[in-house]
Amino acid sequence: MSKKLTKRSEDYSKWYNELVVKADLAENSGVRGCMVIKPYGFAIWEKMQAELDKMFKETGHENAYFPLFIPKSYLSKEASHVEGFAKECAVVTHYRLKNAEDGSGIIVDPDAKLEEELIVRPTSETIIWDTYRKWIQSYRDLPLLINQWANVVRWEMRTRLFLRTAEFLWQEGHTAHATEKEAVEEAEQMMNVYADFAENHMAMPVVKGLKTESERFAGAVETYCIEALMQDGKALQAGTSHFLGQNFAKAFDVKFATKEGSKEYVWATSWGVSTRLMGALVMTHSDDNGLVLPPKLAPIQVVIIPIYKGLEQLDVISERVKPLVAELKSKGISVKYDDRDTYKPGFKFNAYELKGVPVRLAIGQRDMDNGTYEVARRDTLEKITVPMDEVVVKIEFLMEDIQKNIYQKAFDYRKEHITLVDTYAEFKKVLKEKGGFISAHWDGTTETEDRIKEETKATIRCIPIDVEKQNGVCIISGKPSQKRVLFAKAY
C-alpha cells in the first residue's frame, strides 16, 4: 500500500487534508461544508466521548437533550449572544415541499411559511435557559448541572475536515448556581477537566488561560480556555468554559427563592469541546508516515499480523496467537488479529502504520520456531524481537511508554516554540521565521489587540492563568503591563 502523503515540511495543510482522508477518519459529503465521519474516525471520537462523559459524571453532571430548533425570538433575547452568532445561523423558514406545477421538480411550498422562523442550533443557551425557567424555582433546585451531547450548525464558508465544518459534533454543558462564587468555580473546574483530558488522554499539552474581551464567547462575562500548539506553529483552541454571570438568567427571567425567602437571578456557566479535538489529535502527533495515536484513544491498540505460506501454516500461526489475543483482551487492551488472506503482510504493515495503531506484532515461521514475536512501536518506528512469554508484559509497558513519549515530544516542541519578546520588531520577526506562541506584554486595550491582528494576523490566544505577574511595557503602545499574554496565528 502506497500512502503517498505530502510531507509536512512541503505543505502542512495538504498533508493534514490527505491524512484525514487516507487514514479513513472522514471525508467531505454531498452537502457543502459538512463531513462524513467514517467508522475509524468515529471510533476515536467515541473513545473521547466515553472518557469525557465519565469525567463529567464524576463531577456531578447529568446528560439531557434539548431541541435542534430554536425560535428566532429566543436568540434575540440576549443582545451580545445574537450579535455573536447572527452571521453563522442556518434558518428554517418553511415546513413543506411540493411538486412544481410545470413538472420541473420539488419546490418549497410558498403557503407553508412558518409563523416564526426557526434557527438550527448554533449553541443551546437560549433554548436551555427557557427550559430552566420551568425547572428552577427554589434554592433546593440548585445547582443544576446538565450536559448535552449533540450536533450544531454554524454556517462556514471556508471549511476543513474536523477543524471547521458547517455541522459538527460536540458536548455542551449548561449549569445554574445560587452564587457567583459557585458559578466561577464551576467554569474553572471544567476548564481543568478539559486540560486533564487533553494532557492525560490525548497526550496534548495545553495552556490554561482567559480570553480577552474581544475573544470571549458571545454573552459571557469571562471565557476560560485551553490552547494547544500544532506542529506547524499555529495555535488551536481546544476547549472553552464560560462564566455567563446572570446575563441569560435575566434574559429568560430565571429566578430562585433563597433560603431567606427573597427572589434572585441564578448564576450560569456553559462549556464545550467538539470534534475539532480530532483535528488537534491528528496535528499534534502525526508524521509523514501517517497517524500517531495515543494508546488511550486508539481504537486498535495492538495489531497482530501473520506472515505465512499457505493456509495450513496460517492455521498453525492462528492457533499460537489465539491465547495471546484472549489475554490482551482480558487486560482491557484492544487487539486485532488480521488474518485476511486478501492482502499481503506489507500492505497491512503500511495500512496500520497509516492508521496510527500504537503497537504492531508480526509472527512468521521463524518466530514460531524461535518462540518470539517481532514488536514494532508506531511512535518511534523501532522494531525489537520479544520472547512469546514476555510479550504481554512488553505490550503493557508500551501502552504506557508510548503515551508518555508522544506527550513529551509534543511538550518539548511547545517549550521550544514559546518565545519571549519585548519589542514589536522582535514579535514580527519571530512570527515570520519561527511561529509558535509569542509571549509579550500587552496594555490591555482592544485597540492594540486589533492593530496587531490586522497587521500580523496573530491574535491573543489567552492570558495564561498559571503565570506570575511581571512588570513590563506593551510592545505597541509602551504603556505599563503587569503580565505577558500569548499571541499566535491560529486555526
Side-chain angles (χ1 to χ4, degrees), residues 36 103 162 272:
V36 174
F162 291 121

Side-chain angles (χ1 to χ4, degrees), residues 223-258:
T223 289
Y224 300 84
C225 63
I226 56 171
E227 293 284 329
L229 191 64
M230 304 296 98
Q231 292 179 64
D232 62 345
K234 285 186 179 179
L236 187 139
Q237 179 180 288
T240 50
S241 179
H242 317 288
F243 168 55
L244 302 175
Q246 295 175 311
N247 293 346
F248 286 91
K250 289 177 179 177
F252 288 89
D253 196 31
V254 184
K255 294 178 179 176
F256 72 102
T258 67

